[in-house]
């Protein structure tokens, strides 16, 4: 295990100098500071959050890490915008500042994490984490406070605030089953459902509901994974090309954006919703109510997910909750006109 003494020896400085760099002390020569930081990056050394908090006062700054591309379009994103609004409201209430972290955290974890430490963030909120990533293990080893937002990690050591996505998958599928549907398709993101915990869990809930009702699972009832050259509507073309005698009578779209796109696509090709094909989604977007015939969906409290995530990481920094604190928030079925009984 790499220690502060190893960093000092490699950088040819004293332990006190390394400690000053870790705690951002101003009385360190810039060239020496950079040499020490480079040694920390080269050796994958991340100071323990506990040790850092003992040696300095808290800065009341929480870092927010987004996946690639979201910082550019977050204002138009139906998931990140309300969730971030909740984060901002709680931060204001708790007198916390937020630092939006660059998306190269994903591609260059050692350098990016060292940069976060150097900027003296007290904790992190992680958005859109893929199931397989390099950042979570680094954070766990370091002891740095962090919460995964809208993502219940399979690793029980990871603090998370989310909804129960397995239950959401079951709820949506069971609603269709209760309306007589037995040929139920599952519409994933264009990249599939396996990359993120939330999407995989919604798929698991879909499978569980089918099994509970004695309905067989069909691989061809899951929308195909698309390439970067494909248009997103090809997910729905897949179902439209099937024999009408075996084509799904209902589609469970794991996010409302897909459901709204699917309704429009089917209507443009002469199908009636819900007479020919029923739809159910997840989120309850503002446009759901005005999308003819009105999308039946499962509402999730995105603003509350954001605000509670901020409160939890704030408590974590102060030692008031454990680093493995996990919360699931309630959801609600919103019935409109996109599902018919068969």
């Amino acid at each position: 295990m790499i220690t502060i003494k190893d960093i000092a020896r490699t950088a040819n400085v004293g332990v006190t100098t390394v400690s000053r760099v870790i705690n951002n002390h101003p009385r360190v020569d810039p060239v020496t500071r950079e040499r020490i930081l480079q040694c920390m990056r080269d050796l994958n050394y991340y100071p323990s959050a506990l040790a850092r908090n003992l040696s300095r006062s808290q800065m009341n700054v929480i870092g927010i890490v987004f996946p690639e591309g979201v910082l550019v379009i977050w204002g138009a994103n139906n998931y990140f915008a309300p969730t971030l609004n909740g984060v901002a409201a709680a931060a204001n209430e708790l007198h916390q500042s937020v630092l939006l972290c660059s998306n190269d955290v994903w591609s260059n974890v050692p350098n990016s994490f060292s940069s976060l430490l150097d900027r003296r963030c007290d904790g992190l909120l992680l958005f859109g984490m893929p199931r397989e990533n390099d950042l979570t293990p680094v954070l766990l080893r370091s002891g740095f406070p962090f919460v995964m937002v809208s993502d219940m990690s399979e690793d029980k050591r990871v603090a998370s605030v989310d909804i129960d996505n397995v239950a959401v998958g079951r709820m949506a599928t069971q609603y269709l089953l209760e309306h007589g549907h037995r040929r139920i398709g599952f519409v994933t993101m264009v990249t599939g459902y396996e990359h993120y915990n939330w999407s995989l869990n919604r798929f698991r809930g879909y499978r569980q509901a089918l099994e509970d009702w004695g309905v067989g699972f069909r691989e061809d009832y899951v929308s195909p994974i698309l390439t970067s050259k494909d248009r997103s509507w090809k997910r729905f073309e897949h179902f439209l090309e099937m024999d009408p005698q075996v084509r799904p009578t209902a589609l469970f779209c794991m996010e409302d954006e897909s459901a709204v796109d699917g309704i429009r696509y089917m209507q443009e090709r002469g199908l009636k919703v819900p007479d020919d094909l029923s739809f159910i989604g997840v989120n309850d977007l503002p446009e759901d109510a005005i999308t003819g015939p009105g999308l039946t969906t499962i509402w999730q409290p995105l603003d509350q997910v954001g605000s509670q995530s901020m409160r939890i990481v704030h408590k974590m920094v102060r030692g008031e909750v454990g680093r493995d604190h996990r919360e699931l928030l309630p959801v609600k079925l919103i019935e409109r006109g996109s599902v018919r009984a068969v």
Side-chain angles (χ1 to χ4, degrees), residues 64-219:
I64 301 178
V65 181
F66 285 96
E68 186 174 359
V70 169
L71 289 181
V72 178
I73 62 170
W74 76 268
N77 187 287
N78 288 309
Y79 161 71
F80 288 104
T83 310
L84 190 58
N85 285 340
V87 169
N92 184 60
E93 170 192 319
L94 297 168
H95 306 291
Q96 298 287 298
S97 298
V98 296
L99 174 66
L100 299 182
C101 301
S102 63
N103 56 25
D104 66 355
V105 167
W106 305 112
S107 58
N108 195 353
V109 168
N111 286 344
S112 299
F113 188 55
S114 294
S115 176
L116 291 174
L117 293 179
D118 196 38
R119 294 180 189 179
R120 298 163 69 90
C121 286
D122 295 316
L124 292 177
L125 296 179
L126 308 184
F127 283 74
M129 287 285 292
R131 294 175 62 227
E132 300 294 332
N133 67 84
D134 296 326
L135 183 56
T136 300
V138 168
L139 291 170
L140 286 171
R141 287 197 303 269
S142 74
F144 198 75
F146 73 101
V147 174
M148 293 179 69
V149 183
S150 269
D151 191 355
M152 190 58 60
S153 172
E154 294 177 326
D155 190 331
K156 303 297 185 184
R157 299 172 298 168
V158 175
S160 309
V161 178
D162 198 4
I163 59 174
D164 186 340
N165 282 295
V166 174
V168 165
R170 283 200 308 266
M171 182 186 297
T173 308
Q174 182 170 315
Y175 182 82
L176 297 173
L177 290 162
E178 289 171 347
H179 281 70
H181 296 276
R182 297 297 180 267
R183 305 201 307 266
I184 300 172
F186 182 78
V187 180
T188 75
M189 297 182 295
V190 295
T191 55
Y193 60 82
E194 296 181 334
H195 298 295
Y196 299 93
N197 287 310
W198 67 268
S199 54
L200 178 60
N201 284 333
R202 288 181 194 177
F203 177 74
R204 286 169 172 163
Y206 162 74
R207 290 287 304 267
Q208 288 178 14
L210 293 178
E211 183 177 344
D212 290 345
W213 281 65
V215 176
F217 168 72
R218 292 181 51 148
E219 289 282 356

Side-chain angles (χ1 to χ4, degrees), residues 39-40 54 87 95 100 122 136 150 156 159 205 219 266 271 307 310 322-323 330 333 335:
C39 288
M40 292 169 60
L54 288 174
V87 169
H95 306 291
L100 299 182
D122 295 316
T136 300
S150 269
K156 303 297 185 184
E219 289 282 356
M266 294 301 179
L271 273 71
S307 61
M310 172 58 78
R323 300 294 169 84
L333 178 70
E335 294 186 86

